[in-house]
Amino acid sequence: MVFGHIISSPRGSLSLQQTLNLANIYLENAKSVQDPDIALVLCHDAEVSLTQARKGARHAEDPITSDSIATAYISLGRILNSRGHTNEAMASYKKAEKWGGKVPGPESSAAIPDPKSFAPSIGSTVDLVVDSLSVSVKDQPHPPRANKTPNDIATIPTHIFADNVRPPTILDDILEPATRKWLQVVENDEDEHERLKILSQDVIRTFKKEEIKDAKAVTEVVCLAPVLEMSNFRELLKSFYDGIDHSGLLDIHQLQGLSQLIQGAGTGYLEADDLVKILGLLTTRLKETHQQSPQHIYQLTLAASNVLDAMADTKVEGLDRETLHEPLSSYMDALKGNSEPYLMYQAAYACQALLCVPDNESLWQATVRRTGKVIRGVSGLVTAVKGLDLSGFIDGLKDIQQGIAGASEAMQLVVTAFDGVKSMTEDGQGFLEGIKEGLSIKRKCAWYSALRGADTLIQDGEFATFKQLVCEAPCRLDPAFQWGVCQRLGEVASNPAWDVRTRRSAAAFLGEIYRNDGDWGNQTIVKEWIITILMQLTSSVGSTQQYLETLLQELETNSNVKDKERFQMCREKDARSYPLKLALPPLGSPSLLDRVQNKPDVEGTLRQLRKQRLKERINDVYIPSQAKASVQASDDDRFFLMEKVQEFLDGDQKVFLLLGDSGAGKSIFNVQLERELWQDYKKTTGRIPLFISLPAIDKPEQDMIGKHLRRSEFTEPEIRELKEYRKFILICDGFDESQQTHNLYMSNRLNQEGEWNAQMVISCRSEYLGVDYRDRFQPGDRNRPEPGQLQEAVIAPFTSDQVHDYINQYVLKNQVLWEAKEYEEALDAIPSLKELVRNPFLMTLSLEVLPRMVDPREHLSATQVTRVALYDQFIEHWLERGKKRLGEKELSPQAKAAYESLVDEGFTQNGVDFLKKLAVAIYKEQGGQPIVKYSRFKDEGSWKSAFFSREDEKQLLREACPLTRSGNQHRFVHRSLLEYGMALAIYDPHDWREKTMPMHESGRRGSTSSAYSFVVDDSTEEEDVTSVDPVPDIDSPLAWRYFINEPSLLQFLSERSQQEPMFKKLLHDYIEYSKVDEKWRKAAANAITILTRSGENFTGAELRNIRVPGADLSYGMFDSADLQGADLRKVTLRGTWLRQADLSRAQMSGVQIGELPFIEDDIPLRSCAYSPDGDSLAVGLYNGNIKLYSTSDWKQIRTFTGHNMSDSGLTSAISSIVFSPDGNRLISGSFDCTVRIWSVEAEFSIHTLTGHDGWVNCVAYSPQGDTIASASSDKTVRVWDAETGDCRLNLVGHTLSDQNPSNVCSVRTYISHTTQPLTGPASEP
């Protein structure tokens, strides 16, 4: 009872010791039991318990437990060995060794044969199964036999397939040391894994591009099939399918490739739809090749067989049997009259395969096949054949009993599968008759199931088991089974992947079938097939050729006269006419892999780029950027920008537009984004991040990525490789700086066929863009944009917490004069400074120069700081620091002399002059494009050489100035510094103060008494000061370039005009000069724009005849200004105050008003309508009045009164107004439940239309003007005669709704003379 209780308990619930005890109970009973079958079952149960114990022992780490497990395995091995199961015994001994056990010594070696020499014994469970099968066949009557009666079980000499062997795969213990070492390196190297993966992808892509896909190319890609990832496998499958589908003549090589690909497919790689689609294609091609070569028909039939096998293996279910029956019927119709036996056999095989789809009744699918790439099908019957242990073939199998569902169940499954299936004998049925019976899909034949099992065993190297299956199968004498077995033996013998012994055994097996009629019968067609196979094999050169020739000669020599005639007939008939899958053809030279490996090593160059980019700016301060959804969004509605961009990159959108003010941190974020993407970059498969400085690319609207990669020293072959196979994340910086107007996504044809595959993050200053800026970035044609493909964000100003974090990081990374606390105190105390430094660049400038700007003798609140003052101090500080660095540097004698000369003249002033001249040259020569490309030989003598030549002074000044260089490209470290330089060139206070200051203060720039210092000189010495006022200069940048669209530069100049009275006067002079000479109009337009931005009040100003075309006067004060005869063409007047301004005779074409004039009233308005000619605007008010305005001057011209408060006390608001088509009349609907018709000219009501019981929500005129319709909250629509005011129709039918319970809110503008409702249920307005 105790024993029974333990057996019935789940093993998982037992403790480790209980599990060991259970295993020992099984072993003791196995020793004593007499019945060998029961003993084997008990041994199996012991093995299952030991497997469970091993799991627990791994966690316990108890040496006593390990010894107990080892001892149990040794006992198990001895019992198995005593019962004749030597394979299983050896496996048990090996497991004992792993657990520290000592296997039986020399005294018992005789009982344990060498595993390489013994023939496998078959366990009792298999004996039980086979005996049962044999009985089921023997009990049936056999037809009479003309010749020797075959034995019930055939025998094959023990030297043939004596052992099971490893399948021809890459296993460590059969590799050469060098190869094994390489495999170990690959196994531990993720980069090498990725390289091999991309290599296989490239081979497939190269194969797809091949116009002629020969046998060698097909062989190469098919060899890759077992190791491909699913996406690549399916890509290859589609390539074969399309190749067969689109080829005019049947492509045999691709057909064979498709067949082999299906056979080698991994779990889940083939879908039911794929198989049905392929089967349909094969059926179509079969019909097309009906009158063509039998080889073509055979290959199609073979491929169809593989498809059907795959359907059975992948458990395709739910398919219409008729859908599969009809294609197969076409097969049979095409093959009934064919005399080729191999073709008939393959068609019969396909028909038998169909019977396993979709009902899944195949014996070997149910009991043998288990999905997997390396071991396909080793459960059920195979488990039994292997003695329930698989001889260590699958070490650590969790629960073998679950695999076979019990030996008795496996036996019953096999018996059931073969039940009623009678083998055909030679005399009872010939080969062709048997094949034709196989063509019938009315019943299953055992030979198909047996051959499927044979395939599985061959794949796994189970040749000893394969031999037993062939010898003991009830269908052994079936000619179709023998034909299939011979075909498989021939393929094994021809395959150099198998060892020589195995290949010779396969050939010897063929010889045994040929010569042993007693066991195999005397099938003439099978014997001819064997001779044909051996002849084909002898024609190939290899290590088995001599053995095969000897075997063939021996068979012929020992044959009778009839058999010798058969040999002669086979010689006369080309042996190659019977298809046999021999060894795969050698790879092409150069193979696809050779060509792929000869492609450029882009990864090497990418590694260099990655290393270079990760090195740059590693010391920059970076605070995670926050952003908002749009310019109009509140600064409080913000999100972390990096997270938003990562979401974008993980999705399907194409373009991310990043906006922000000057210095907001767009470039800093872009660099950080690139850095993080490079850090996460996955070699060979990852998307490649490219930071592209748009100003650095010449014409980025064309081949932008290629140009950037060339600058990064990629070769043309590398660029082609990247374009064809890789994906990119483009981080395009400085759209505004490149002065672009093109849509770079569209002009570069991104993500179009044959073009670059990329997502784009692109940054631009907010102020650079107009209202309709999205067209410049939206993917898709302007007229057909791709919706949802553009996302945007605007970098938000720093929060207080971000300012705090930035200061702390800055102090840690830089040598500064103040502590973090002192900086924060200054920001809190200095007026408006916090607002000024709410972006990274201005924050950096402030932290750099604040200690120099603050007068220690004054309270911080007395310090005034502006943006231009920050830049003044920053540039001065930068140049003084550069001067110090150069002074400490070891210079050549010539460079030292140049340095001393610059110092004597004033180094800082020379640096500022250099900066101003360079800024002017960039604007004049390059239109403000900030990057200067300088080539010594190409640009010698040009304007560029004045700044970038090798002259010592130029080199020293370049090194000291805030410039950066990348190769032959030079630029300011920030765009705003270029704009500051240009503003300084327009007006430099130092240049004018130099002419008015005492001599001792004007000699050098950058001293403590500098005009840029906030420290006040206490000197009281009086000196004569000569006042020199600046006068307009026609050579000033203000006179030769419009700066209206340069908001950052205008801000510098407007702040300067607020600080410098002389500059303000100069700007007014430019305006005055324009009155008499139009050559000053550009300077005047710039001047008045600067003054307006600075808050200059032009109220009552005398501006008659000024010429300021294109100026921006937005929000300026020009009330009562005299602008008679002024040239105001294309001037922007958005929000400008022009009350009582005199604009007579002013030129105002193209003026941009921005917001149009508005009308104010004390009473809220409810409705409005324009007259048909646009000259009038009618406005309906809540008090029931209607006011009419002239649109020429927006003066009120009429008032219509008459709508009154309703009896219920409701308002008389005018809900709807409409002009008649001719504009002479006006109709109004009111909450007083009436409609009124008004004469526009007479200003009185012509008719009052009554009848509605609720508010009138809407009124409408018919196009002819003779009919009026009104809709009311009483759920009716009334139609009225416009002349008489009579009600023609009362239309009902509108119903209640939850959203709008009673209102009819609209009516159509056409009228039908019918009593049917003119509209459906009302909708919300």
Side-chain angles (χ1 to χ4, degrees), residues 1242-1260:
E1243 199 174 350
F1244 66 86
S1245 175
I1246 300 174
H1247 296 292
T1248 299
L1249 312 181
T1250 60
H1252 282 297
D1253 295 328
W1255 298 351
V1256 177
N1257 295 318
C1258 184
V1259 292

Side-chain angles (χ1 to χ4, degrees), residues 26 72 317 336 597 746 842 845 1002 1100 1119 1225 1271 1325:
Y26 286 137
E317 296 178 355
K336 280 179 180 177
Q597 288 182 312
M746 295 305 300
L842 287 177
L845 292 187
S1002 62
D1119 287 343
R1225 291 188 178 186

Side-chain angles (χ1 to χ4, degrees), residues 166-347:
R166 292 184 185 272
T169 185
I170 300 177
L171 299 171
D172 288 351
D173 57 349
I174 61 174
L175 295 176
E176 296 179 357
T179 307
R180 186 159 54 249
K181 183 178 180 181
W182 176 81
L183 274 179
Q184 291 171 350
V185 172
V186 170
E187 185 176 2
N188 298 320
D189 188 344
E190 291 186 4
D191 291 346
E192 191 65 14
H193 282 188
E194 293 295 335
R195 189 185 74 83
L196 294 177
K197 187 186 297 182
I198 198 69
L199 206 59
S200 64
Q201 293 174 356
D202 291 345
V203 168
I204 293 172
R205 288 168 180 157
T206 304
F207 173 77
K208 288 175 65 177
K209 292 181 179 179
E210 293 286 291
E211 292 187 6
I212 300 177
K213 296 176 173 61
D214 58 15
K216 295 177 180 179
V218 169
T219 297
E220 192 168 357
V221 293
V222 167
C223 288
L224 287 173
V227 297
L228 292 178
E229 292 186 343
M230 184 181 292
S231 59
N232 296 323
F233 177 89
R234 295 184 65 77
E235 184 180 0
L236 183 58
L237 183 70
K238 184 177 185 302
S239 175
F240 278 126
Y241 179 91
D242 292 342
I244 298 169
D245 189 23
H246 298 153
S247 59
L249 298 176
L250 184 64
D251 191 328
I252 292 295
H253 301 313
Q254 293 203 63
L255 188 60
Q256 291 173 335
L258 177 64
S259 181
Q260 295 172 45
L261 195 65
I262 292 171
Q263 286 181 307
T267 306
Y269 278 33
L270 289 172
E271 298 178 359
D273 290 344
D274 298 330
L275 298 170
V276 173
K277 184 179 178 182
I278 294 171
L279 188 61
L281 171 64
L282 297 176
T283 304
T284 301
R285 296 312 301 258
L286 178 70
K287 294 176 181 178
E288 294 172 355
T289 57
H290 181 60
Q291 301 298 327
Q292 297 185 27
S293 163
Q295 278 283 358
H296 287 186
I297 301 175
Y298 172 77
Q299 292 295 341
L300 283 166
T301 310
L302 178 62
S305 300
N306 290 328
V307 172
L308 291 166
D309 285 344
M311 284 181 170
D313 294 344
T314 54
K315 299 181 180 180
V316 173
E317 296 178 355
L319 297 179
D320 186 353
R321 183 175 292 274
E322 292 300 318
T323 304
L324 295 176
H325 175 80
E326 290 304 322
L328 205 50
S329 297
S330 299
Y331 266 154
M332 292 185 288
D333 290 340
L335 298 176
K336 280 179 180 177
N338 201 296
S339 60
E340 293 290 352
Y342 68 85
L343 194 54
M344 297 280 285
Y345 159 77
Q346 197 59 53

Side-chain angles (χ1 to χ4, degrees), residues 312 356 359-367 417 444 448-449 452:
C356 292
D359 55 16
N360 263 347
E361 292 177 4
S362 166
L363 162 71
W364 287 92
Q365 181 189 335
T367 62
K444 297 179 181 179
Y448 168 74
S449 299
R452 292 302 312 278

Side-chain angles (χ1 to χ4, degrees), residues 1081-1111:
R1081 63 183 181 179
K1082 196 173 291 186
N1086 286 322
I1088 199 168
T1089 299
I1090 295 167
L1091 290 169
T1092 301
R1093 278 182 171 251
S1094 70
E1096 183 75 359
N1097 192 334
F1098 288 93
T1099 299
E1102 200 285 302
L1103 300 174
R1104 182 180 300 186
N1105 297 323
I1106 64 168
R1107 295 180 173 92
V1108 289

